[in-house]
Amino acid sequence: MAKLVYLMRHLRESGADRKLQQLILELAEASKYIAHTIKTGEMGYAGTSNLYGENQLALDLLADKIIKDRLDHTGLVSYMISEEMNSIVSSHENAMGPYSVCYDPLDGSSLIDTNLSIGTIVSIMPGKQVLQPGKNQAAALYFLYGPRTELVYTVGNGTHIFVLNDAYEYILQSEYVTLNGFGNIYAPGGLKQEWTASHTLFINHLEDEGYKLRYSGAFVADINQLLAKKGGIFTYPALKGKQEGKLRMVFELFPMAFIIEQAGGAASNGTLRILDLEASDFSQRSPIYIGSKKEVALAAEFLKRI
Ligand code: F6P
Ligand code: MN
């Protein structure tokens, strides 16, 4: 029988800094409480709304608090910002940690009542600056809460997938995951009537080529599907009257772009590589084309046409 590889051992052998290893392990511990809360939790509305005017479900707030409380006294983090917080917060260790963390505590939370998969996305930046170019990330990871709970991480040395077992340990499922040069699924976000003409042509092209529609409404689940199926594309494009699209750069796009690039894929805003961009504000959004290289390059071609 193949030997089980635990997350701690994998991290030890990853070449990552010891404190970065520790930070990822702390996040993995937090995710176990979130996974448990999702399984058993109260699902009513909390009655407040976040910065972006979305209703916050109680579970969003709980997931946010679980991560913040976990990281607060580790001495590993200077600053933290989450999609649910209105401002950057410093850790109680006098903002002395070697890393800063941006996270989306419960991505796809509008799906909670449907019992479809949702997730947590985390971007780890070196130092005290939260706003840095995406390519500066020290690590990126996500947790997927589905029929199985999974952890996918990169520290810049490949993308690796772990599954939470019955003993609540993350066990390696596959390491150095790679996307093929192209795939056969597409996940198109945004209302069709709000797409630009060139984006519509791109999606029509994929449909003509026989790509299968696979859009769940949770970014984490859709990205995980690209990794599992080894290719395809997810888009949330610029919309008419909403040029910046929907997804947030620091909480969602930077970490996923890092994970997908490390798996041999690509991520662009339609013109530029996502990881070359820098957000001027933590709430900044961007259009996104992410997945296997061929489809991402093809999107750029189509967007140039009109
Ligand atoms: O966090 C934003 C998010 O919920 C993503 O998880 C998801 O991909 C997207 O929004 C879904 O948006 P829409 O409901 O417009 O399809
Ligand atoms: Mn999200």
Side-chain angles (χ1 to χ4, degrees):
M1 201 176 92
K3 228 172 151 191
L4 300 183
V5 176
Y6 291 87
L7 178 61
M8 187 185 282
R9 173 174 154 202
H10 202 266
L11 283 167
R12 230 187 281 129
E13 293 170 5
S14 68
D17 178 88
R18 280 296 286 270
K19 293 203 163 155
L20 184 58
Q21 295 179 33
Q22 252 176 294
L23 178 50
I24 293 172
L25 288 170
E26 292 286 353
L27 287 160
E29 287 308 302
S31 76
K32 297 174 188 177
Y33 288 85
I34 299 174
H36 182 77
T37 307
I38 290 168
K39 272 199 190 123
T40 59
E42 160 64 39
M43 299 206 294
Y45 279 90
T48 55
S49 59
N50 71 7
L51 191 60
Y52 311 99
E54 297 163 339
N55 281 325
Q56 282 175 297
L57 292 165
L59 271 178
D60 298 54
L61 297 175
L62 276 170
D64 194 33
K65 189 169 156 41
I66 287 169
I67 295 175
K68 184 179 174 301
D69 290 353
R70 187 87 206 182
L71 298 186
D72 229 1
H73 295 280
T74 58
L76 299 167
V77 176
S78 292
Y79 292 98
M80 285 179 262
I81 175 83
S82 84
E83 227 181 70
E84 304 300 338
M85 295 177 193
N86 294 336
S87 62
I88 296 170
V89 297
S90 62
S91 78
H92 280 102
E93 301 295 310
N94 300 319
M96 287 305 287
Y99 296 101
S100 290
V101 176
C102 307
Y103 64 97
D104 181 354
L106 216 51
D107 173 69
S109 54
S110 67
L111 297 182
I112 289 170
D113 53 353
T114 70
N115 203 17
L116 284 164
S117 299
I118 52 181
T120 297
I121 314 174
V122 187
S123 164
I124 302 177
M125 287 289 185
K128 294 179 189 296
Q129 274 300 106
V130 168
L131 296 177
Q132 301 186 43
K135 62 182 168 217
N136 286 11
Q137 286 172 105
L141 51 148
Y142 68 76
F143 301 96
L144 176 72
Y145 313 110
R148 295 186 297 275
T149 296
E150 294 189 10
L151 155 61
V152 175
Y153 89 87
T154 184
V155 291
N157 176 24
T159 291
H160 317 293
I161 304 181
F162 291 73
V163 175
L164 196 62
N165 71 6
D166 283 347
Y168 268 59
E169 293 279 3
Y170 279 107
I171 304 295
L172 181 66
Q173 179 186 272
S174 38
E175 57 181 352
Y176 301 102
V177 186
T178 48
L179 298 183
N180 297 325
F182 63 94
N184 63 0
I185 55 175
Y186 73 111
L191 281 184
K192 198 168 183 172
Q193 68 221 49
E194 292 173 2
W195 291 349
T196 62
S198 49
H199 180 79
T200 305
L201 286 177
F202 171 59
I203 298 296
N204 289 346
H205 173 82
L206 295 179
E207 287 169 354
D208 292 345
E209 291 289 307
Y211 281 71
K212 270 190 263 178
L213 175 65
R214 288 288 185 269
Y215 185 81
S216 77
F219 190 38
V220 172
D222 289 337
I223 290 292
N224 198 66
Q225 180 158 217
L226 295 179
L227 284 176
K229 301 299 180 195
K230 298 201 167 290
I233 187 164
F234 174 97
T235 84
Y236 210 109
L239 300 173
K240 289 179 194 155
K242 208 175 165 200
Q243 283 303 306
E244 69 285 7
K246 180 178 187 191
L247 301 188
R248 286 110 186 173
M249 291 172 79
V250 301
F251 307 117
E252 294 168 319
L253 302 186
F254 284 170
M256 289 311 199
F258 193 17
I259 285 168
I260 289 294
E261 278 200 6
Q262 283 293 317
S268 92
N269 66 1
T271 325
L272 303 167
R273 178 181 175 233
I274 290 289
L275 293 181
D276 285 335
L277 304 176
E278 181 172 359
S280 52
D281 186 87
F282 61 77
S283 60
Q284 197 175 324
R285 304 164 193 256
S286 165
I288 178 77
Y289 294 83
I290 184 168
S292 29
K293 280 184 173 160
K294 181 183 160 191
E295 289 85 343
V296 174
L298 198 60
E301 285 289 305
F302 271 89
L303 295 186
K304 267 192 255 166
R305 287 189 194 176
I306 301 176

